[in-house]
Amino acid sequence: MPERLPFDKLPGLVGQEIAVSDWFLVDQARIGGFAEATEDRQWIHVDPERCARESPFGAPVAHGFLTLSLLPAMLENAILIEGMRMGLNYGLNKVRFPAPLPVNSRVRGRWTLAAAEPFGGGVQLTWAVTVESEGGGKPVCVADFLVRAYV
């Protein structure tokens, strides 16, 4: 169940961790579908046999950009902004992939509101998000995700 946030209360929540999403499975079908959609078919993502022989990971790993592309779904799963008419992905600031994401891992996002800046028509939210893998030591992605929330 998403954390419900009243639109007008967002500025007062800056600096706080707001929510943690549910777990999302990143299996070979998801990795393969992303490879096809983006035409990034590098063997470390799509060839389990070669990965078993040659990769230092021993199995396929997800594309970093696949992990990044799950951010909107994780945000929607974790947070519902009451009174928001529309939200738009506005961009990203710092993005890093500190650790690989092995196939068949589950990931979730931890959402901290880093900034809430008014603009004509709404508030620009900067979410500091950390994507962690279940049982993993390091995050698989850390990013500043910018969303424009319109009223």
Side-chain angles (χ1 to χ4, degrees):
M1 176 73 66
E3 183 71 30
R4 301 173 78 85
L5 304 176
F7 187 88
D8 61 341
K9 302 290 185 201
L10 292 170
L13 300 173
V14 170
Q16 296 179 40
E17 181 176 275
I18 303 299
V20 179
S21 76
D22 291 338
W23 293 104
F24 287 70
L25 177 64
V26 180
D27 59 10
Q28 191 62 54
R30 187 178 290 234
I31 293 170
F34 187 84
E36 290 306 309
T38 61
E39 298 188 23
D40 180 355
R41 300 177 188 95
Q42 186 180 24
W43 65 267
I44 64 168
H45 307 302
V46 299
D47 189 338
E49 292 81 21
R50 187 171 178 188
C51 287
R53 288 191 318 270
E54 299 179 35
S55 169
F57 311 116
V61 294
H63 307 73
F65 287 148
L66 167 55
T67 306
L68 195 62
S69 73
L70 291 172
L71 294 184
M74 288 182 192
L75 181 58
E76 185 175 344
N77 173 264
I79 298 167
L80 174 65
I81 299 174
E82 297 173 329
M84 182 177 77
R85 177 176 55 88
M86 177 179 71
L88 292 177
N89 299 335
Y90 189 64
L92 296 154
N93 287 335
K94 183 179 174 184
V95 177
R96 299 289 183 269
F97 306 106
L101 179 60
V103 66
N104 297 322
S105 295
R106 295 190 332 152
V107 293
R108 67 181 179 186
R110 303 187 78 83
W111 296 90
T112 298
L113 186 57
E117 301 162 330
F119 72 93
V123 176
Q124 181 170 301
L125 305 172
T126 301
W127 293 102
V129 59
T130 300
V131 180
E132 55 192 20
S133 64
E134 191 172 36
K138 285 181 161 180
V140 296
C141 179
V142 291
D144 291 336
F145 182 34
L146 283 62
V147 174
R148 287 215 160 170
Y150 293 83
V151 292

